[in-house]
Amino acid sequence: MFKDKSGKISTKDFRRLIFEDDSLGSFREETISKYLDELSDNTGWINFEQFKQFMKCSTIGFNNPLVVMELKLAFNEVDTNKDGFISCREAHRGSILAGQYIPGIPFDRIIHKFDDNDDGRLSLDEFLNNINKIISNKD
């Protein structure tokens, strides 16, 4: 790890040391990998400043970068045509795949609630902002 006294740790070793924790087991491997890539600036190494940045992150709620990364990945999975938006049809299909059926509530109404600019579709920013509002209201 630090044998060369560089003050860096490989993302592989960092993952092994930090992310073996059971409390982080709910995150997908893809989420953790993407987060570590971003944290390390895609170098494969975590330096001391990046480690401090990681340690300053909130571990609860929406301010956790792993939660945001997980939400971004989920959004991209539901956005099947990769246009950067979730349509009513994509939202319906995504909820079925996730096993989340909401009886009696049409998906166009759900999209409308989250659709801040009323364009009939949901952008990543609208999705994240509205999820943040929901999480904030639980506190």
Side-chain angles (χ1 to χ4, degrees):
M1 248 181 305
F2 298 111
K3 292 176 184 168
D4 66 357
K5 308 248 189 252
S6 68
K8 297 179 188 176
I9 184 172
S10 73
T11 53
K12 181 180 175 182
D13 287 336
F14 187 75
R15 173 196 296 256
R16 188 174 45 77
L17 292 169
I18 302 294
F19 291 98
E20 283 182 350
D21 186 317
D22 288 338
S23 66
L24 299 171
S26 61
F27 294 103
R28 297 179 288 175
E29 284 293 316
E30 181 183 6
T31 301
I32 293 170
S33 293
K34 189 143 180 71
Y35 172 72
L36 289 177
D37 287 346
E38 284 187 9
L39 181 66
S40 71
D41 296 325
N42 294 306
T43 64
W45 294 94
I46 305 288
N47 64 34
F48 186 64
E49 291 303 314
Q50 292 161 329
F51 175 76
K52 288 192 314 187
Q53 177 184 341
F54 171 79
M55 294 305 292
K56 288 180 183 177
C57 292
S58 170
T59 57
I60 300 171
F62 193 78
N63 293 326
N64 182 328
L66 284 167
V67 170
V68 174
M69 184 67 63
E70 188 79 26
L71 290 170
K72 286 179 180 179
L73 289 171
F75 181 93
N76 289 331
E77 287 173 9
V78 174
D79 178 19
T80 55
N81 67 1
K82 304 301 177 209
D83 66 352
F85 298 93
I86 295 177
S87 67
C88 181
R89 185 176 189 187
E90 288 170 324
H92 180 55
R93 185 173 178 275
S95 71
I96 291 170
L97 292 174
Q100 300 295 318
Y101 176 68
I102 305 170
I105 301 175
F107 277 87
D108 58 341
R109 216 165 89 204
I110 294 169
I111 291 290
H112 181 72
K113 290 248 183 230
F114 276 56
D115 183 13
D116 296 331
N117 64 2
D118 294 322
D119 66 355
R121 51 194 189 159
L122 190 60
S123 71
L124 177 60
D125 285 340
E126 289 170 322
F127 176 72
L128 293 175
N129 288 336
N130 282 286
I131 294 294
N132 188 23
K133 287 178 195 173
I134 291 169
I135 291 171
S136 296
N137 286 337
K138 281 187 170 184
D139 295 337

